[in-house]
Amino acid sequence: MKEQRGTFRTIIQFAQDCKLKFILSVVFAVISVAGGLVPYVGVYQMILLFFEGSPSPDVILFWSGISALGYGLKLIFYGISTTLSHQSAYQILENIRFAIAQSLMSAPLGEVQSHPSGRIKNIIVDRVETIELPLAHMIPEGISNLLLPAAVFLYLIAIDWRLALAALICIPLGAAVYGVMMKNYNTQYAAYMEASNRVNSVIVEYIGGIQVIKAFNRSSGSYEKFADAVDSFKQFTLNWYQSTWKLMNLGGAVLPSTLLGILPMGMLLYLDGSLTPAELTLGMILSMSITAPVAWFTVAVNDWKSIEYAVKDINELLTLPSLPDTARNVPLSSYEVKLENVSFAYNKDGGDVLHDINIRLQEGSFNALVGPSGGGKSTIARLIARFWDVNGGSITIGGTDVRKMPLAQLARMISYVTQDTYLFNCSLLENIRLGRPGASDQEVMAAAEAAQCGEFISRLEGGWSTMAGEAGGKLSGGERQRIAIARAILKNAPIVILDEATAFTDPENENKLQNSIAMLTKGKTLLVIAHRLSTIKHADQIILIHQGIITASGTQQELLEGSRMYLDMWRAHIGAKKWAATGKKVTEADSTEALDIGAGGSVDADRRKGVMAGA
Ligand code: ADP
């Protein structure tokens, strides 16, 4: 597990490339504050003129000009400071999002999958966004709100230190009120975030499951759950508000009331002759400029809290463990894949899913994994592609442990086609090009034609440039799978893994696609996971997996003769096929036929032809 950083350190870590902008933002904020003080000096000078009884229009105009200039400087530099801080904040947001994406890419697949996709989206999009506003405003506003009262305070001291102290009397009073109000702030805020997350997940579930809700006419029951969650969140927020509003308003009234102290103290000092009327007036005006900054701090505390929680969520993804990677490509002697004494568990408490697995997939050979569902077939395929690391034993390709080669090299070597084809929201052409990003349009189209995609793509209004999002709903499972196969054809990797890759294929395209698969897998080290056993009957090696253990392996002929379980599976399969075709029950003769099937020797491409139909 990577180190979890605190809020401040996390933000600083992502602010490295915008350090200069941050510093400039601070400098300009300071200039802006200095500019903001000028009008006070100008006003003081004008007050003096009036009290001295010699206000000439020229001098008044001069000080008005100076004040306006100071105010103008304040606005301009505040504007620049805010622009820079916004740019920095967005840069930080971008850096955080890239870092999360990187963290997800380098984490074992299981780690990523253990976070619901709604939660990941919520963190990358919404939670990261939460920190922008406070972050962008924290610097210019924080600087002015810290420096301005400090400068005003010094100015007040210069007039009379007693007046200065009196101006601050409201701060301990207001702070005491806020202190009482915020007694349970941390626990309340944590409960608020929990309630907010709860309502989020109910909403995601409601929207995500809307098809099932409609199909089973469960709208009223599901809506109730949704409405309850929204209502209880509202209730929670209201209760929190109600428990604090009196103190919040009292604090809000007391904290900025600098006149509370300065007025009586100023009068006393004026009466005993320590202050001139001009100084008293200036003191009162100055003290009022402290009020807004002081009130800002209450907002800042809340903002910081929201940043703290957002960073906590962000860190949840940033600190995912990553699969160790190496940089240097490894020269391989062959594309033989070997699993030696492999054991694996998805999670420590769940127990081993694979036990002491030994498999050798010779270079260029056709291998099949079969067995009851949940036996561990897909797990083996995922381990070869190194979506996870094995817990015991090793997986080697061409004699090199997959953990010792760069993930990128491994990814280049393997085409892994599964049942669920994910389409990215770009054109179908680009979706296929993912197989080999440098491929030309012609190459992509040729691969797509080979995978029998051409016919359905030409039916779409936008053709090749149809966005997958638009087409997604219109594409059948089989069509999506053909896109995945086109990607793999384009990639042309030396090791091909087909995990139920063509389970949804429509019968009318079955034969054509068989040819494409045969082409795709020709000469490759091929591993097929299949339910339809007739499609893998010509494999060089069939491996039967049951409950994470290899119970038999060999050719179809050997398994039919040597494994009761395989024979039963084969009979069931042939029975299902016959039943589907004729409505007849399986007979003894069928299993004899089964025994005969494996005997024929056929050329490599023909043997691999059957793969698609059942894979
Ligand atoms: P098969 O492909 O033979 O149907 P799998 O390899 O998919 O079997 O699954 C083997 C076992 O591992 C099953 O018990 C399954 O529930 C479990 N399993 C599969 N994927 C995960 C996962 N991501 N996290 C935890 N357990 C899993």
Side-chain angles (χ1 to χ4, degrees):
M1 207 63 159
K2 292 170 210 159
E3 186 202 349
Q4 179 118 10
R5 292 190 159 94
T7 309
F8 190 67
R9 280 183 61 203
T10 305
I11 291 175
I12 291 293
Q13 174 199 353
F14 292 107
Q16 294 305 325
D17 53 354
C18 44
K19 244 193 223 155
L20 183 67
K21 278 189 183 161
F22 257 129
I23 293 170
L24 286 177
S25 171
V26 172
V27 171
F28 291 143
V30 173
I31 299 177
S32 154
V33 172
L37 285 174
V38 174
Y40 291 100
V41 179
V43 169
Y44 178 56
Q45 293 304 328
M46 287 188 267
I47 293 171
L48 272 184
L49 290 176
F50 278 100
F51 279 112
E52 285 162 7
S54 56
S56 85
D58 283 355
V59 185
I60 297 241
L61 215 59
F62 172 76
W63 283 113
S64 302
I66 294 286
S67 303
L69 195 71
Y71 190 66
L73 282 181
K74 171 194 150 101
L75 290 184
I76 291 169
F77 280 97
Y78 185 79
I80 301 176
S81 172
T82 317
T83 308
L84 289 173
S85 69
H86 272 85
Q87 284 175 354
S88 311
Y90 277 111
Q91 185 66 50
I92 291 175
L93 258 53
E94 184 182 85
N95 293 347
I96 293 177
R97 287 186 173 128
F98 282 152
I100 294 179
Q102 191 53 46
S103 173
L104 292 173
M105 278 315 282
S106 56
L109 192 62
E111 286 293 334
V112 180
Q113 286 177 340
S114 65
H115 293 75
S117 59
R119 169 101 182 122
I120 295 181
K121 176 254 157 203
N122 178 254
I123 294 179
I124 298 183
V125 179
D126 308 325
R127 304 297 291 136
V128 171
E129 197 66 33
T130 321
I131 66 174
E132 186 277 323
L133 204 67
L135 203 60
H137 290 257
M138 201 70 89
I139 289 195
E141 288 179 15
I143 301 277
S144 10
N145 289 317
L146 269 174
L147 283 188
L148 189 71
V152 166
F153 185 63
L154 290 178
Y155 206 155
L156 284 173
I157 289 178
I159 299 171
D160 191 296
W161 65 272
R162 290 162 293 186
L163 196 68
L165 285 183
L168 297 187
I169 185 81
C170 59
I171 293 183
L173 288 178
V177 175
Y178 277 126
V180 176
M181 182 187 93
M182 294 176 80
K183 197 170 53 184
N184 297 323
Y185 182 69
N186 281 340
T187 14
Q188 284 283 45
Y189 200 94
Y192 169 79
M193 287 309 296
E194 204 185 305
S196 157
N197 287 340
R198 203 168 36 242
V199 78
N200 260 334
S201 68
V202 171
I203 291 173
V204 168
E205 185 189 313
Y206 183 67
I207 306 296
I210 209 144
Q211 192 177 344
V212 182
I213 293 169
K214 279 176 184 286
F216 290 92
N217 200 19
R218 297 296 308 142
S219 26
S220 55
S222 308
Y223 180 76
E224 241 166 63
K225 192 176 166 195
F226 168 80
D228 280 353
V230 174
D231 190 58
S232 68
F233 182 57
K234 180 195 83 179
Q235 215 46 52
F236 177 88
T237 341
L238 276 182
N239 288 345
W240 190 15
Y241 179 71
Q242 269 166 7
S243 69
T244 57
W245 75 267
K246 290 183 197 122
L247 288 171
M248 188 163 64
N249 283 323
L250 182 63
V254 172
L255 194 62
S257 303
T258 46
L259 286 182
L260 212 64
I262 211 164
L263 205 59
M265 176 60 81
M267 285 308 201
L268 280 177
L269 293 172
Y270 168 69
L271 289 176
D272 79 359
S274 314
L275 281 185
T276 65
E279 285 170 335
L280 176 59
T281 317
L282 179 69
M284 288 199 291
I285 294 174
L286 278 178
S287 76
M288 281 192 273
S289 70
I290 304 182
T291 56
V294 169
W296 175 83
F297 280 102
T298 58
V299 179
V301 169
N302 226 16
D303 280 354
W304 186 252
K305 204 75 200 166
S306 71
I307 293 188
E308 212 175 279
Y309 270 85
V311 167
K312 202 165 133 227
D313 287 346
I314 290 165
N315 267 326
E316 180 186 322
L317 297 185
L318 285 177
T319 52
L320 290 177
S322 50
L323 282 174
D325 199 4
T326 52
R328 197 184 293 245
N329 279 350
V330 184
L332 299 174
S333 51
S334 74
Y335 294 115
E336 176 176 283
V337 181
K338 228 168 156 181
L339 284 80
E340 282 174 299
N341 310 109
V342 166
S343 62
F344 178 72
Y346 281 101
N347 31 54
K348 288 183 196 88
D349 331 323
D352 279 2
V353 169
L354 296 177
H355 313 267
D356 202 25
I357 298 286
N358 287 287
I359 298 176
R360 181 169 167 226
L361 312 178
Q362 279 180 301
E363 182 176 53
S365 66
F366 169 11
N367 307 272
L369 286 178
V370 298
S373 194
K377 303 181 292 295
S378 298
T379 306
I380 291 176
R382 292 181 198 137
L383 290 179
I384 295 174
R386 208 181 162 211
F387 291 164
W388 281 265
D389 272 338
V390 297
N391 298 126
S394 66
I395 298 179
T396 57
I397 295 181
T400 304
D401 195 308
V402 288
R403 289 168 290 194
K404 301 233 164 71
M405 58 181 80
L407 285 164
Q409 183 185 9
L410 184 66
R412 276 196 303 276
M413 266 191 298
I414 298 178
S415 281
Y416 185 27
V417 185
T418 62
Q419 214 178 95
D420 0 272
T421 306
Y422 188 80
L423 297 182
F424 287 90
N425 196 18
C426 50
S427 69
L428 293 179
L429 193 76
E430 293 312 321
N431 259 294
I432 297 173
R433 208 196 303 270
L434 283 172
R436 180 154 52 91
S440 69
D441 284 1
Q442 281 70 28
E443 287 171 317
V444 176
M445 287 176 188
E449 288 298 338
Q452 313 299 319
C453 297
E455 164 264 321
F456 74 81
I457 291 181
S458 62
R459 253 193 295 116
L460 294 168
E461 224 168 84
W464 291 96
S465 46
T466 311
M467 298 297 279
E470 286 165 38
K474 297 180 210 147
L475 296 183
S476 68
E479 288 165 345
R480 297 167 81 91
Q481 283 190 335
R482 279 184 263 163
I483 289 185
I485 290 162
R487 276 180 191 157
I489 291 177
L490 192 63
K491 184 169 177 182
N492 198 22
I495 299 167
V496 177
I497 300 174
L498 303 176
D499 186 351
E500 308 271 348
T502 53
F504 298 128
T505 302
D506 6 24
E508 66 268 29
N509 288 299
E510 196 164 312
N511 202 32
K512 288 194 228 159
L513 199 53
Q514 277 188 28
N515 291 329
S516 320
I517 297 253
M519 289 285 290
L520 158 69
T521 58
K522 197 171 171 203
K524 311 278 166 63
T525 308
L526 173 63
L527 180 64
V528 174
I529 297 174
H531 276 307
R532 286 191 271 170
L533 300 183
S534 54
T535 63
I536 48 97
K537 64 192 177 200
H538 294 307
D540 298 306
Q541 178 183 216
I542 300 171
I543 301 149
L544 179 60
I545 310 272
H546 180 44
Q547 294 179 344
I549 295 167
I550 297 180
T551 56
S553 70
T555 58
Q556 153 112 344
Q557 186 71 32
E558 286 163 355
L559 286 190
L560 286 172
E561 285 164 5
S563 164
R564 180 75 218 174
M565 182 186 249
Y566 188 81
L567 183 62
D568 288 345
M569 282 166 57
W570 178 253
R571 280 177 174 166
H573 173 65
I574 289 297
K577 270 182 78 171
K578 289 256 163 159
W579 184 82
T582 63
K584 276 195 300 182
K585 270 173 59 180
V586 65
T587 63
E588 195 54 40
D590 295 321
S591 49
T592 327
E593 175 209 343
L595 283 164
D596 292 341
I597 286 171
S602 48
V603 291
D604 186 65
D606 279 347
R607 289 192 298 125
R608 286 161 188 252
K609 252 185 168 181
V611 169
M612 68 79 39

